[in-house]
């Protein structure tokens, strides 16, 4: 079973977001980067599948050398080898094209991504990647089991879950449920030491990004909370009408 796990390097969820160069760039100074949390669910499931079915887990990241600490963490969690496609990821189609160009002749049985990156939140790479490779995709995928050349998955629909089956290869976009939080793999000392010598291939990027942007803005700060006494419905209605303007 050859599994490819797409790993995006994203700012830690507690990061205080600021911009640099006249609000034209995300300010990375002092920011801690981590494996995109949805990718961690996918990587942990990939490790479980490898342990039961055998095979190999490769990770792929589109990014510059500054993503390598995150890639090494994925290797410390248990991936066998990693590929970094050396390019500035500027939009979803570029990222999907880079990964498809790499994966198309490698014979992966299963490609796992996260359901979305938690920085730019496009949620677009998995579907684009599958389309470029001419294979099926399921997003979000909250459960996946493999039997021979068939995957049985659960995805979320309004009010419930749907069970879908697909022949391999396919792209599965992970979120919580593919494994539970308690099953997330954490690098141990042995894994961290082993990760230092695991293969990390760097290949040149070949696709151009098309995104054009002018400036970034932070959302308006939240207004202070106004407390209204529970027995003062008249005041509540008045405020909802005149200040919040929702009724
Ligand atoms: C205007 C703009 C400027 C940007 N500038 C930068 C920049 O300077 N530096 C930078 O690093 N990013 C930058 N990005 C982010 C970059 O474009 C994203 O990595 C890319 O758009 C994919 O993000 P997404 O939100 O569409 O991914 P989604 O579709 O939400 O991601 C789903 C899954 O796809 C996979 N995936 C996503 N991105 C990658 C990746 N890079 N490598 C491997 N797998 C991946 C992961 O498994 C992820 O969970 C920029 C984005 C925009 C819009």
């Amino acid at each position: 079973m050859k599994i490819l796990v797409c790993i995006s390097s994203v700012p830690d969820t507690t990061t205080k977001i600021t911009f640099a160069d006249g609000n034209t760039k995300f300010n990375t100074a002092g920011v801690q980067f981590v494996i995109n949390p949805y990718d961690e669910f996918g990587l942990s499931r990939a490790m479980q599948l490898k342990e039961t079915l055998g095979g190999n887990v490769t990770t792929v990241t589109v990014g510059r050398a500054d993503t390598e600490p995150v890639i090494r963490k994925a290797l410390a969690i248990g991936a066998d080898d990693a590929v970094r496609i050396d390019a500035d990821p500027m939009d979803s189609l570029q990222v999907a094209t880079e990964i498809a160009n790499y994966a198309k002749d490698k014979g992966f049985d299963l490609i796992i991504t996260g359901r979305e990156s938690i920085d730019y939140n496009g949620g677009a790479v998995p579907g684009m990647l599958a389309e470029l490779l001419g294979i099926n995709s399921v997003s979000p995928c909250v459960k996946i089991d493999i039997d021979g050349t068939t995957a049985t998955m659960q995805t979320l629909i309004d009010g419930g879950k749907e069970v879908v089956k697909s022949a391999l290869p396919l792209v599965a976009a992970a979120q919580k449920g593919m494994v539970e939080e308690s099953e997330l793999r954490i690098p141990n000392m042995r894994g961290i030491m082993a990760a230092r010598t695991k293969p990390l291939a760097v290949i040149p990027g070949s696709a151009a990004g098309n995104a054009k942007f002018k400036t970034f803005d932070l959302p308006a700060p939240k207004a202070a909370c106004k407390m209204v006494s529970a027995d003062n419905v008249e005041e509540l209605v008045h405020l909802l009408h005149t200040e919040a303007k929702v009724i």
Side-chain angles (χ1 to χ4, degrees):
M1 179 95 188
K2 275 186 77 173
I3 305 175
L4 180 67
V5 183
C6 302
I7 299 286
S8 177
S9 168
V10 297
D12 185 89
T13 45
T14 58
T15 302
K16 192 168 172 0
I17 303 292
T18 59
F19 301 112
D21 296 353
N23 283 358
T24 56
K25 270 169 117 179
F26 171 53
N27 183 7
T28 55
V31 172
Q32 173 78 30
F33 280 81
V34 296
I35 298 178
N36 185 46
Y38 294 114
D39 304 351
E40 276 196 88
F41 287 106
L43 179 59
S44 297
R45 183 64 186 138
M47 298 316 305
Q48 290 176 346
L49 289 171
K50 180 190 157 173
E51 281 157 16
T52 48
L53 303 171
N56 191 81
V57 175
T58 300
T59 70
V60 62
T61 299
V62 181
R64 295 297 186 188
D66 57 1
T67 61
E68 289 194 7
V70 160
I71 298 172
R72 288 281 171 210
K73 186 179 172 199
L75 291 169
I77 286 172
D80 297 284
D81 54 87
V83 172
R84 178 170 68 80
I85 302 173
D86 192 32
D88 288 315
M90 297 305 291
D91 61 57
S92 315
L93 183 57
Q94 175 212 2
V95 169
T97 304
E98 294 284 15
I99 297 173
N101 286 347
Y102 161 71
K104 65 183 177 208
D105 55 1
K106 304 289 184 305
F108 290 108
D109 301 297
L110 175 63
I111 300 178
I112 299 180
T113 69
R115 68 166 288 175
E116 66 182 325
S117 63
I118 62 148
D119 50 1
Y120 292 89
N121 302 85
V125 170
M128 288 177 173
L129 175 59
E131 180 65 24
L132 289 166
L133 292 171
I135 58 180
N136 291 335
S137 69
V138 173
S139 178
C141 182
V142 294
K143 193 171 184 336
I144 182 164
D145 289 302
I146 309 286
D147 185 6
T149 56
T150 303
T152 304
M153 292 157 286
Q154 281 184 12
T155 186
L156 301 179
I157 54 171
D158 272 354
K161 289 179 182 163
E162 184 178 31
V163 176
V164 286
K165 278 182 190 274
S166 168
L168 300 176
L170 65 91
V171 176
Q175 77 163 40
K176 185 180 163 188
M178 196 181 252
V179 299
E180 293 306 323
E181 276 172 45
S182 57
E183 296 173 294
L184 284 174
R185 300 289 170 103
I186 297 163
N188 57 26
M189 190 45 76
R190 200 162 149 235
I192 292 167
M193 298 303 286
R196 292 183 183 172
T197 52
K198 284 184 178 175
L200 195 175
V202 180
I203 60 174
S206 54
N210 290 312
K212 293 197 173 38
F213 64 100
K214 290 183 181 168
T215 57
F216 292 107
D217 282 311
L218 289 174
K222 280 188 182 160
C225 180
K226 193 172 267 183
M227 304 301 282
V228 179
S229 161
D231 53 12
N232 195 350
V233 176
E234 205 172 298
E235 171 74 355
L236 178 64
V237 171
H238 174 72
L239 289 173
L240 288 173
H241 184 58
T242 59
E243 286 193 17
K245 295 190 173 35
V246 291
I247 55 173

